[in-house]
Amino acid sequence: MPFSSGIAKMDEHISGGFLEGKSVVIMSSPGIDARAFAYHIINANPAVQSAYLVENTFPDQIRKDYRRYIFPEAAFNKMVFIDAFSTGLGLPSSERYAAKDATNLKSVIEASEGVVKSEKIGILIIDSLSGMEAKYADEKIYEKIGEIKRQGITVVCLYTVWDERARERVAEKFDYVIEAKCVEERLLSRNYFKVVKAPGRFTSNAVPFRIGFDGIAVYIPKIIITGPFHSGKSTFIHKISTKAVSVNRMGTTIALDHGYVEHSGFSVDLFGTPGQERFEFMLDILNKDAFGVVLVVDSTKPEMFERAKEMLTHVARYGLPYVIAANKQDLKSALPPQKVKELLGLDADVIGTVATTGEGCMDALKLLIDRIVEGNAKKSGVYG
């Protein structure tokens, strides 16, 4: 039975989770808190006894750090620590398992062996492997990781990449390699994680993420919701958003709508555009730095479809992925999604929605996020 990473999109990319008795390395850029990945793994597998070897701070600091998040504490509270830090400062450790001399790799290994022999460990977190390399400069670290995983224990190592030349050398020693990088795009810094190595089949697409009080979530900082006048864009945004605001006059959007969505491990900022032609310049402004677009059309008004296609030309110039929400499916005169797709003549996903109730709206958003993350690899279709 695979161990979940605690991050749904990562589990999808590694065929359901990490296999037992394998080694995993989370290779992070400086500034990215790789511990959040470890916390997700611990929290997602409460039935599995885990151990946490820490060599760069006190175990109590890890306990405090974990409680900054809103994870349940059951799995974390039963976890055992291996203190490979305190005695290195000449201080006694209050942990049951601790290296007698944290400056000596042999002593750290002995403490680790004590946990493996005494506890039924399923997962071992090593925080951090890069720190242990710098401190001990000894290949026995990797030999010991190999010995532990051969006992059926999944070993998860956190590694901060200070020197890019180390990346390939370290990666070749592990079964799973997850990269967490900070990438600059058009003067903006964004975090991405990516599976670059795994046993069997895996998906290697960069997934944008952010770390918040709820841990790691797939984060799309800008999705545009656009469409012709009175197609239901504002209602779409307000119905699915955790919080939303509109700038309107006499019931019509005259500037923009903004919504923030938190749902099932992802978060998204939505920006809605006015539908009137006189506000068309807003499309070019809002499309900058956007990740994708939901085009909302009124399924009862095919005469507006040509206008919808015109609005998509503004999207196409930026090469943004998009899906089409065939809205107002609850009305008798609504065309079914398949007919909407045919009349639009576009090779795109079309999803039936009812913005007033929210039906289909979250499905449209989830599908667009899949298109963004998977790089438009899937074929278009009709839904609902």
Side-chain angles (χ1 to χ4, degrees), residues 299-312:
S299 302
T300 70
K301 294 183 177 179
E303 65 272 17
M304 297 298 293
F305 289 1
E306 198 59 38
R307 169 63 181 152
K309 290 173 70 173
E310 289 176 8
M311 299 182 83
L312 271 184

Side-chain angles (χ1 to χ4, degrees), residues 19-284:
L19 296 175
E20 295 181 17
K22 299 295 183 181
S23 57
V24 183
V25 62
I26 311 291
M27 306 187 77
S28 61
S29 299
I32 293 180
D33 185 7
R35 284 177 182 153
F37 289 90
Y39 298 158
H40 271 276
I41 293 170
I42 295 164
N43 180 59
N45 300 281
V48 180
Q49 178 64 61
S50 57
Y52 198 114
L53 188 157
V54 56
E55 62 77 34
N56 48 22
T57 192
F58 297 106
D60 276 348
Q61 188 58 44
I62 301 297
R63 293 185 176 99
K64 291 178 183 178
D65 188 50
Y66 181 88
R67 293 184 176 108
R68 291 190 300 119
Y69 301 96
I70 58 172
F71 296 139
E73 295 193 10
F76 191 81
N77 287 341
K78 75 173 187 178
M79 183 177 68
V80 295
F81 278 94
I82 305 167
D83 185 352
F85 180 75
S86 297
T87 55
L89 299 179
L91 299 173
S93 175
S94 60
E95 302 298 327
R96 180 180 175 187
Y97 301 98
K100 292 180 180 179
D101 178 6
T103 64
N104 186 296
L105 178 59
K106 182 179 179 181
S107 180
V108 174
I109 289 175
E110 287 175 353
S112 302
E113 289 174 339
V115 171
V116 172
K117 290 177 181 177
S118 303
E119 311 282 348
K120 293 182 178 180
I121 299 297
I123 299 172
L124 171 64
I125 309 291
I126 296 179
D127 178 7
S128 73
L129 180 60
S130 49
M132 293 184 72
E133 269 196 351
K135 188 182 295 183
Y136 306 120
D138 195 326
E139 281 295 313
K140 288 182 180 178
I141 299 171
Y142 293 100
E143 292 176 13
K144 193 60 190 176
I145 290 172
E147 289 177 16
I148 293 172
K149 76 171 189 174
R150 283 192 289 274
Q151 297 178 59
I153 299 170
T154 299
V155 184
V156 180
C157 298
L158 309 184
Y159 193 101
T160 303
V161 182
W162 298 100
D163 185 348
E164 285 295 324
R165 293 173 296 181
R167 190 179 294 276
E168 186 174 342
R169 171 184 60 79
V170 174
E172 68 180 8
K173 301 177 187 295
F174 286 85
D175 301 304
Y176 293 89
V177 179
I178 313 296
E179 290 186 344
K181 288 184 175 182
C182 180
V183 178
E184 288 193 6
E185 297 177 341
R186 290 171 284 184
L187 303 180
L188 297 173
S189 294
R190 296 188 175 114
N191 295 336
Y192 293 85
F193 69 74
K194 179 180 181 180
V195 180
V196 297
K197 182 182 178 183
R201 297 182 64 182
F202 65 95
T203 302
S204 186
N205 290 324
V207 179
F209 75 95
R210 61 107 177 105
I211 301 177
F213 66 92
D214 54 346
I216 294 168
V218 175
Y219 177 50
I220 311 295
K222 194 174 187 181
I223 283 179
I224 304 300
I225 310 296
T226 193
F229 182 60
H230 274 181
S231 58
K233 303 179 295 297
S234 296
T235 307
F236 183 103
I237 290 174
H238 280 262
K239 202 64 183 180
I240 65 173
S241 294
T242 308
K243 51 187 176 181
V245 64
S246 297
V247 180
N248 58 54
R249 181 183 181 188
M250 298 178 67
T252 298
T253 301
I254 60 171
L256 59 83
D257 301 304
H258 176 260
Y260 177 72
V261 181
E262 283 188 352
H263 182 82
S264 300
F266 69 81
S267 56
V268 181
D269 278 299
L270 305 176
F271 293 82
T273 72
Q276 301 98 318
E277 290 187 38
R278 61 195 174 100
F279 292 116
E280 198 158 280
F281 68 93
M282 290 288 292
L283 285 172
D284 289 322

Side-chain angles (χ1 to χ4, degrees), residues 334-348:
L335 298 172
Q338 180 61 51
K339 188 64 177 179
V340 172
K341 181 179 174 73
E342 291 174 7
L343 292 177
L344 284 170
L346 298 170
D347 183 23

